Amino acid sequence: MQIQDLEQKSQQGGTQRVDNYHLDELKIALDPNDPRHILPPRLPQAQKVLDVGCGAGQSLIAAYPDRVSFGIDIDLDALKTAKSFSSRIALANAVAEALPFRNHQFDFVFARVALPYTRILTALKEIRRVLKPEGSVWLALHPFQVPWRHARHSNLKGKLWFAYIFLNSLAFHLFQRQFPLKGKQESFQTERGMRRALERCGFTGIRFARGKHFVVTAQVRK
Ligand SMILES: C[S@@+](CC[C@H](N)C(=O)[O-])C[C@H]1O[C@@H](n2cnc3c(N)ncnc32)[C@H](O)[C@@H]1O
């Protein structure tokens, strides 16, 4: 489906409506010149790919249009939008901490800014479980600056939420522990915290990229 068709849908009412947030995210995913654009790498067509916290599936649509791919998300509305964007994504309403797949199914699992909202250690164990022995992972994370930038311009409630994020992130950095607040989870990540978590979950070849985006890649340890 073309972006123009989707824009037309977004201007319609009723069940056909495509929400503007996800449409904008899809445009970013399809536009390599957009400064917010960041996608996982191209892969041979035969590789089976899972997107954890896929939202409306924009990364899968932009990066892997050549195959049927897989996406899970906790947000049912986002998945409904994904379904209207593409019929080539197998979608499941599930959490990263309990992936609805058998062991060793995927060649590649990625999560584009979804891990900051999960219990990271549990999610990484699940990702490791569903990866094939030669599989690899690509994770776009939140550095400190992301929640801080948001908190600086927010009201007292936003600043208190940032205080929670800060303590939760520190607990993960130091002790690999995290705590939910009001049933939700949020943190920013550090290289030390992520390296220790990935090693504990059976990953090796851990590499960080810190340019415009904070990305970590790793392979399953044999
Ligand atoms: C910032 S959005 C990123 C969405 C998409 N990956 C992208 O790059 O645009 C974070 C996504 O993670 C999902 N999410 C949050 N907690 C989750 C969890 N525990 N399990 C699975 N998905 C989760 C949210 O519903 C949301 O779609």
Side-chain angles (χ1 to χ4, degrees):
M1 186 177 293
Q2 299 295 305
I3 280 284
Q4 290 91 323
D5 298 334
L6 292 167
E7 275 174 336
Q8 215 171 19
K9 266 192 175 187
S10 81
Q11 281 147 22
Q12 294 167 0
T15 52
Q16 282 276 287
R17 201 171 174 284
V18 171
D19 71 84
N20 285 325
Y21 168 76
H22 286 120
L23 193 53
D24 287 346
E25 289 294 314
L26 178 59
K27 283 186 198 163
I28 293 167
L30 292 169
D31 179 4
N33 296 318
D34 190 299
R36 295 160 294 177
H37 176 94
I38 169 103
L39 284 179
R42 288 191 184 284
L43 296 169
Q45 195 181 358
Q47 293 210 357
K48 194 169 165 184
V49 177
L50 168 67
D51 182 354
V52 173
C54 65
Q58 54 273 18
S59 300
L60 290 169
I61 293 167
Y64 309 110
D66 54 349
R67 72 201 76 190
V68 172
S69 54
F70 294 77
I72 70 105
D73 202 288
I74 201 170
D75 180 349
L76 192 56
D77 287 336
L79 295 177
K80 284 181 184 159
T81 304
K83 213 170 161 196
S84 76
F85 283 171
S86 169
S87 56
R88 287 173 64 78
I89 309 174
L91 298 159
N93 189 203
V95 293
E97 293 87 346
L99 295 174
F101 302 104
R102 281 180 289 125
N103 296 351
H104 313 311
Q105 291 290 301
F106 295 96
D107 298 284
F108 186 72
V109 178
F110 75 94
R112 186 184 175 280
V113 289
L115 234 61
Y117 306 98
T118 67
R119 277 183 288 135
I120 296 173
L121 211 54
T122 315
L124 287 178
K125 280 183 191 153
E126 277 295 273
I127 290 173
R128 167 75 179 77
R129 180 182 67 74
V130 302
L131 274 168
K132 293 179 183 173
E134 64 281 4
S136 56
V137 69
W138 181 100
L139 307 165
L141 304 168
H142 274 174
F144 168 80
Q145 291 85 342
V146 172
W148 172 236
R149 225 180 288 132
H150 187 72
R152 275 174 60 191
H153 303 292
S154 64
N155 56 17
L156 179 64
K157 207 171 151 199
K159 290 194 167 55
L160 288 173
W161 184 251
F162 175 76
Y164 155 71
I165 294 175
F166 186 83
L167 292 174
N168 198 31
S169 309
L170 190 64
F172 185 74
H173 173 79
L174 294 174
F175 311 116
Q176 307 277 282
R177 299 285 304 274
Q178 283 176 271
F179 305 92
L181 186 65
K182 292 184 174 172
K184 291 205 285 187
Q185 185 70 249
E186 189 170 344
S187 61
F188 60 83
Q189 290 70 52
T190 61
E191 288 192 17
R192 175 189 190 268
M194 283 307 296
R195 182 178 295 284
R196 291 180 70 190
L198 282 160
E199 281 171 355
R200 274 178 73 172
C201 294
F203 289 93
T204 187
I206 300 161
R207 285 176 201 275
F208 293 91
R210 274 198 186 258
K212 256 189 302 182
H213 303 276
F214 180 21
V215 173
V216 59
T217 53
Q219 285 82 48
V220 170
R221 192 168 50 227
K222 300 240 164 64

